[in-house]
Amino acid sequence: MKKLSRQTFLKNSGIFLAGSTWLTACGQDATGPLPSPATTATTGLPATNAATIQPAIPPPTTTGPQLVTSAATVNPPANLATVISGDKPTLTPSQPLATAQPATPTRPQTTSTPANPGNSGQPNLDLAAKVGQRMLVVFPGPELTPAIANFLLAVKPGGIVMFADNITSLAQITKLNADLQNLAAKNNLPPFIITLDEEGGIVSRMPVEAREQIAPAQMAQAAGGLDSVRNCAHETALRLLKLGFNLNLAPDADINSNYQNPVIGTRSFGSQPQNVAQAVRAAVSEYRAQGLGCCVKHFPGHGDTAVDSHTGLPVVNRSRAELNQLELVPFIEAISAGTPAIMSGHILFPKIEPNGLPATLSPYFLKQLLRDELKYEGLVITDSLSMGAISSKYGLAEAGRLALKAGADLIIAIGGLNDQLAVFNRLVVAASQGDFEVDQPVARILNFKRNYVKVIATPPENPANLALTGQKAITLLRSDGKSLPLNPASQPVLINFGLAKPSQVEGQPPSTLLGELWREKFPTSPLFEVSLAPVPAEIERINRAAREAGVLVLVTRDAFDTPAQAKLVQSLLNSGPPVIVVAVRGPYDLLAFPQTLNYLTTYSDTPASLRALLAALTGLNPVTGKLPASIPGLYEVGAGLRLG
């Protein structure tokens, strides 16, 4: 899930950009200021003048935050875009996973009251406020500014989704989350759901200071077994609770059955339905045990797609029988494990959906299948409606209306504050006209808040759990029996290939950690950082160093999908010395050079994974990982050699 860029929004609203650029949110834009807290109810007003629709909002109490102590401070500038600052990133039978299990976790002691004294029971909400509870909103920057406070008091949203530019440090995000709950409490609103995407691997919103605390990718967790899955959910839950979050938009329950999937990949626990289901259950159970809400995604399954739903609408030609045997298996397990939330995916299933609607907008998927057949009673949350799969055809406001009508409880309509206000106003009108159910979804939202928006006494985190996960994940698929572990006397040369392009879900900028770790281990050995399109002089330097090396270590990133990277690797394989290839993203790079004699994969390049890699290469730790996703034509799930 990606978020809009301020500059891109102001200049090119409605255009989705690929690669490392940010996504713009589409939809109607309000043309006037946010409503004042003293405005009247909106029932029955025409949808064509969204800016004039003003929700009923009581004036804030005199003891509330100084941001909103008077009507004068509640009215922002006429053009709300001028107060937006900062950019936001726009989310065959085989061996089962290892089943070693740690001691059964116990749920921490919780208080009987929410994190703030706001009204989280059965508040007397009017229609506009009930509609607001159906929205998870976003805002720019790391502070609760007057304009943002005005917006939140106008919409009264169910919660807020945080992205990387909302989080500059651990202390800052802890304060921001506390400020938000204080705003709700002082204005007698239900407390906010405060959430983010913290899957681990490439999907993390943590600041630079917390990089060491990012869990390895879900595929790396699965490679180490269910104990690794539990440990990562445990550590992630404790960290997020301490920061003031109460819902994590994870785990990912997609089965990565299509190795060319452009957006899931290592975000998945693997390619085998039952193994993925076991891992999803383990993660959900651990999140619940620690008292953090979790949201399983992307229902009914995004793993067999060839299109990234951030930019287009994926089509999956599964029959319902196939869906039952594959994609639905982890979601059924998640429901059995008691997941409090499920996120819908923007995917079209033409053989199943009777009206040609993507799952997010489909009553068949959200009501008939999820509610009626699978008996799911928790929250249904949409993926961002600003993603190209939805917004390019429907726009934000209409997509929001259709999603709520289809059966979603909460929508994420990422956009500028004006965009989101316009969506809210349009939805109030739709609700007043009976377009979608209101009371029962709001009851589910308030029930989630009673269960998960609480003060929880958390034990200390244990970073060793993440380090152990990184170690247990490393999988050796090829070995010549003599090149590993590395001997410093063999004059190893490291060639580190840069990432071809960030995926749409990248949450972290590139790290220099691998080079730093290499220089610590091999201070006199050469290191080359290779760009996507190396110039001839660079290629010549690399080839010359390769001819003089005792052994080459090639660290690849998505080489199977990057012809320039694959071509250079091919030439180095023929350069003379032994070559060790290490894939630090997906395990599929071997498809680009199947003649490789030494091949390892880490599934992740988080600090925990890279530290584990250097320890494995030098023989400090054994290599025991098992492949959780098949490599077509080469290896099935469960493959893996032991080293050490």
Side-chain angles (χ1 to χ4, degrees), residues 495-501 528-532 555-559 562 565:
I495 299 177
N496 183 26
F497 289 89
L499 188 64
K501 61 180 180 181
F528 292 89
E529 302 281 354
V530 183
S531 61
L532 172 62
V555 174
T556 63
R557 290 174 170 82
D558 294 343
T562 311
Q565 188 177 149

Side-chain angles (χ1 to χ4, degrees), residues 244-559:
F245 292 97
N246 45 58
L247 175 64
N248 187 10
L249 299 176
D252 190 308
D254 300 312
I255 300 166
N256 201 60
S257 55
N258 180 358
Y259 77 94
Q260 294 179 312
N261 192 311
V263 69
I264 301 301
T266 59
R267 300 171 65 192
S268 166
F269 285 120
S271 64
Q272 206 279 337
Q274 291 299 334
N275 287 358
V276 173
Q278 291 178 43
V280 168
R281 172 177 279 277
V284 168
S285 298
E286 187 61 32
Y287 278 121
R288 293 189 66 209
Q290 301 311 316
L292 182 74
C294 61
C295 181
V296 177
K297 58 191 183 185
H298 305 83
F299 182 83
H302 210 313
D304 193 34
T305 60
V307 172
D308 185 346
S309 55
H310 291 87
T311 56
L313 179 61
V315 177
V316 176
N317 286 304
R318 296 274 200 218
S319 67
R320 177 58 198 276
E322 291 172 320
L323 201 69
N324 290 348
Q325 296 172 357
L326 297 167
E327 278 81 3
L328 291 183
V329 174
F331 290 98
I332 292 171
E333 197 71 16
I335 293 170
S336 174
T339 183
I342 288 177
M343 177 178 284
S344 65
H346 306 330
I347 311 151
L348 183 62
F349 291 83
K351 292 183 179 180
I352 303 173
E353 214 294 322
N355 298 307
L357 293 169
T360 289
L361 309 182
S362 168
Y364 171 83
F365 278 110
L366 301 191
K367 288 183 179 178
Q368 180 177 329
L369 176 54
L370 188 53
R371 295 288 189 203
D372 298 341
E373 297 185 33
L374 300 184
K375 307 301 181 184
Y376 177 62
E377 298 179 352
L379 292 180
V380 176
I381 304 174
T382 72
D383 207 342
S384 170
L385 299 178
S386 67
M387 292 162 59
I390 299 294
S391 64
S392 59
K393 180 175 181 179
Y394 300 97
L396 282 180
E398 178 63 5
R401 184 187 72 84
L402 291 173
L404 296 182
K405 187 174 182 178
D409 296 310
L410 283 156
I411 64 168
I412 302 175
I414 292 177
L417 301 187
N418 272 342
D419 289 317
Q420 295 174 96
L421 179 64
V423 171
F424 167 71
N425 288 333
R426 292 280 296 277
L427 293 179
V428 171
V429 172
S432 71
Q433 296 170 345
D435 269 12
F436 50 81
E437 185 181 9
V438 174
D439 289 338
Q440 190 171 3
V442 170
R444 281 192 288 263
I445 293 166
L446 296 177
N447 184 60
F448 174 90
K449 293 182 178 186
R450 283 191 295 273
N451 289 331
Y452 289 98
V453 186
K454 297 180 179 181
V455 175
I456 296 179
T458 58
E461 298 167 63
N462 183 6
N465 280 331
L466 302 184
L468 182 60
T469 296
Q471 173 189 327
K472 292 173 69 175
I474 297 175
T475 305
L476 177 65
L477 293 175
R478 297 271 182 90
S479 174
D480 62 9
K482 56 185 179 182
S483 299
L484 287 169
L486 290 174
N487 181 350
S490 66
Q491 297 179 316
V493 172
L494 175 67
I495 299 177
N496 183 26
F497 289 89
L499 188 64
K501 61 180 180 181
S503 76
Q504 295 286 0
V505 296
E506 295 284 327
Q508 294 289 321
S511 169
T512 60
L513 179 61
L514 180 60
E516 296 167 7
L517 295 174
W518 180 265
R519 290 186 179 95
E520 289 176 6
K521 295 288 185 181
F522 305 102
T524 62
S525 295
L527 161 65
F528 292 89
E529 302 281 354
V530 183
S531 61
L532 172 62
V535 298
E538 184 180 9
I539 295 174
E540 174 55 32
R541 285 200 310 274
I542 293 169
N543 284 324
R544 184 168 57 250
R547 289 191 295 268
E548 298 171 356
V551 61
L552 288 176
V553 179
L554 310 183
V555 174
T556 63
R557 290 174 170 82
D558 294 343

Side-chain angles (χ1 to χ4, degrees), residues 167-190:
I167 306 174
T168 59
S169 73
L170 298 180
Q172 167 272 323
I173 189 56
T174 303
K175 180 180 184 302
L176 175 58
N177 287 344
D179 288 346
L180 289 166
Q181 298 295 20
N182 187 49
L183 178 70
K186 295 297 185 180
N187 289 280
N188 200 34
L189 300 178

Side-chain angles (χ1 to χ4, degrees), residues 8-157:
T8 305
F9 167 72
L10 295 176
K11 295 180 181 179
N12 301 300
S13 180
I15 300 174
F16 278 77
L17 305 177
S20 59
T21 57
W22 303 135
L23 293 181
T24 298
C26 299
Q28 301 298 318
D29 188 15
T31 57
L34 283 171
S36 164
T39 56
T40 59
T42 64
T43 305
L45 292 179
T48 55
N49 190 6
T52 67
I53 300 175
Q54 298 180 332
I57 299 178
T61 63
T62 55
T63 58
Q66 294 302 308
L67 293 172
V68 290
T69 53
S70 69
T73 63
V74 173
N75 290 307
N79 182 3
L80 199 63
T82 62
V83 302
I84 300 175
S85 62
D87 292 345
K88 304 249 179 172
T90 24
L91 232 164
T92 10
S94 55
Q95 299 177 8
L97 289 171
T99 56
Q101 299 184 14
T104 302
T106 57
R107 187 183 182 93
Q109 183 178 2
T110 63
T111 68
S112 58
T113 58
N116 66 56
N119 193 346
S120 65
Q122 291 294 336
N124 184 22
L125 302 175
D126 63 13
L127 181 64
K130 290 178 181 178
V131 171
Q133 287 295 300
R134 308 288 299 277
M135 296 179 65
L136 291 175
V137 300
V138 299
F139 58 74
E143 297 179 352
L144 181 58
T145 65
I148 292 169
N150 296 336
F151 167 73
L152 295 175
L153 291 178
V155 175
K156 300 181 182 177

